[in-house]
Amino acid sequence: MMLNRRGFTLLTAAGAILPLGGRVAFGEETALPEAAKEIGATIEAQGPAPVPLRLAVLSFQGSSFWEATDKGIAAATSYLAPLNTTVDYIQLGTALTAETIVAGLDGALTKQYDGIALVPIFDGTVAKIDEARREDVPVVAFIADSAEKSQRNTGMGMLAYDAGRKAGEFIARQMDGQGKIAVITGYLGAAQHDSRMNGALDYLKKEHPEIAIVGPFECKDDDATAYAQATDAMTSNPDLQIIYVTAGGSEAAAKAVRDAGQTGKVGVVGYDDLPEKQQYKDGGEILALIDQAPARQSFDSLVMLHNMLAFGAEYPSEVAIDAPIAFGKLAKS
């Protein structure tokens, strides 16, 4: 559904919603609660929905990353409930596949939700998202979009290739431009994982060809697999200096470094600055984490849907978030 009350908005760098063309905001904005501020949320609701709204959010489970995403979903659910918007969380389990996402999305369409937020990841999700749009259901993608662009209204996330290049530049500094790294990725074929991997490796191959690259190894975002792959990489390559983890598994790789007694010799570069990883930043196993604020993204995506449906708010088709680096104790500046 889409209400007749329409208008245009601009998303500022700080995430605030500004009216274009001198028009006033559609409704009184509702201040973000402390739970939302704690996760870095930036999008405020413009007011209560004039009619009851039902939103669905599709996400995965099985790691500290998805637990952080859950925090954003929970905060948005509580925030929007008094504003006449109900959020239903459709949990997709631990196996990241296009088929799982499509099945969840198909179920959401059958239940006729007013809007849907999801993590598309794979190109195999595009046709079903486009079907939702043909049914006039707004769709917001967050965290990891597909490489092939669907007709979703808005996609929020880091610029993955640029973040990968940032990781590559950091890796080169740590190694003084020479040595050996191992690469552990999440899912080969997942657009964001591939982009973060290729952003780093393209830079290293061009600017620092002296750096040898082992892998990539596909851990499927499984900590036990990432731990085993990191351990095998260190055993097979005594001269290994860096383990670059493009998706889930950086905490497990850091534990493998610690357990192997390689702290200070081998460092992990990865993503997502989550509390569970702090001990490895402090201990020296993790050199750097590039953060993508999963809790913020899930929260903001749901509030954007609320504003779109209730007040006709429009957002850029691509909403890029900052990707700051959190440094570990042993990182070279």
Side-chain angles (χ1 to χ4, degrees):
M1 65 174 289
M2 178 62 71
L3 303 181
N4 291 328
R5 205 172 180 184
R6 300 285 294 171
F8 296 92
T9 60
L10 173 68
L11 186 68
T12 69
I17 301 173
L18 303 177
L20 296 181
R23 299 176 66 177
V24 297
F26 302 117
E28 182 179 358
E29 290 188 347
T30 304
L32 293 174
E34 286 304 313
K37 293 177 182 178
E38 288 174 1
I39 60 174
T42 61
I43 307 295
E44 294 183 350
Q46 294 180 359
V51 297
L53 297 175
R54 296 169 56 247
L55 307 181
V57 56
L58 284 62
S59 187
F60 292 91
Q61 294 75 48
S63 71
S64 56
F65 175 83
W66 296 114
E67 288 172 3
T69 305
D70 289 352
K71 291 180 181 178
I73 294 171
T77 300
S78 297
Y79 176 56
L80 294 175
L83 303 179
N84 215 15
T85 292
T86 299
V87 177
D88 287 344
Y89 182 9
I90 299 175
Q91 297 187 346
L92 300 178
T94 60
L96 275 68
T97 67
E99 292 77 14
T100 299
I101 300 166
V102 168
L105 185 51
D106 197 45
L109 291 175
T110 299
K111 293 181 179 179
Q112 298 184 320
Y113 286 98
D114 298 310
I116 299 171
L118 79 166
V119 186
I121 307 177
F122 302 103
D123 288 351
T125 62
V126 170
K128 184 58 68 172
I129 292 173
D130 289 350
E131 178 185 327
R133 295 298 301 120
R134 287 194 297 272
E135 295 181 14
D136 203 26
V137 179
V139 177
V140 174
F142 63 98
I143 294 178
D145 206 349
S146 53
E148 178 186 347
K149 293 306 177 187
S150 68
Q151 297 300 311
R152 88 285 188 278
N153 299 69
T154 299
M156 171 178 281
M158 65 165 45
L159 298 175
Y161 189 87
D162 293 348
R165 180 184 173 89
K166 182 186 293 188
E169 292 171 347
F170 174 84
I171 289 169
R173 287 200 305 274
Q174 306 313 296
M175 303 172 68
D176 296 324
Q178 56 187 350
K180 183 180 289 185
I181 73 168
V183 179
I184 298 175
T185 194
Y187 287 79
L188 292 168
Q192 191 178 65
H193 299 179
D194 287 349
S195 292
R196 292 196 297 223
M197 177 174 67
N198 293 333
L201 298 189
D202 288 351
Y203 170 80
L204 293 173
K205 290 173 183 177
K206 180 180 178 181
E207 302 296 336
H208 300 280
E210 311 84 14
I211 293 179
I213 300 166
V214 178
F217 307 104
E218 185 184 37
C219 75
K220 297 186 183 297
D221 279 359
D222 179 71
D223 283 345
T225 302
Y227 181 94
Q229 290 170 338
T231 300
D232 290 346
M234 288 184 287
T235 301
S236 303
N237 301 274
D239 54 346
L240 191 69
Q241 294 172 254
I242 298 284
I243 301 173
Y244 175 46
V245 185
T246 75
S250 56
E251 183 180 354
K255 185 177 188 305
V257 170
R258 177 177 291 181
D259 290 351
Q262 295 296 296
T263 303
K265 180 181 178 184
V266 179
V268 174
V269 176
Y271 290 81
D272 307 316
D273 187 22
L274 302 173
E276 294 81 0
K277 302 180 185 183
Q278 186 63 44
Q279 62 167 312
Y280 298 110
K281 288 163 57 184
D282 294 341
E285 293 83 16
I286 289 179
L287 298 179
L289 296 168
I290 301 177
D291 195 42
Q292 57 182 328
R296 171 205 161 179
Q297 289 199 53
S298 57
F299 181 97
D300 284 354
S301 296
L302 288 164
V303 179
M304 282 195 287
L305 274 175
H306 168 88
N307 288 338
M308 290 161 59
L309 286 157
F311 302 105
E314 295 186 357
Y315 296 91
S317 62
E318 308 285 345
V319 179
I321 68 161
D322 294 333
I325 298 182
F327 299 104
K329 183 178 72 173
L330 297 183
K332 296 179 184 178
S333 59

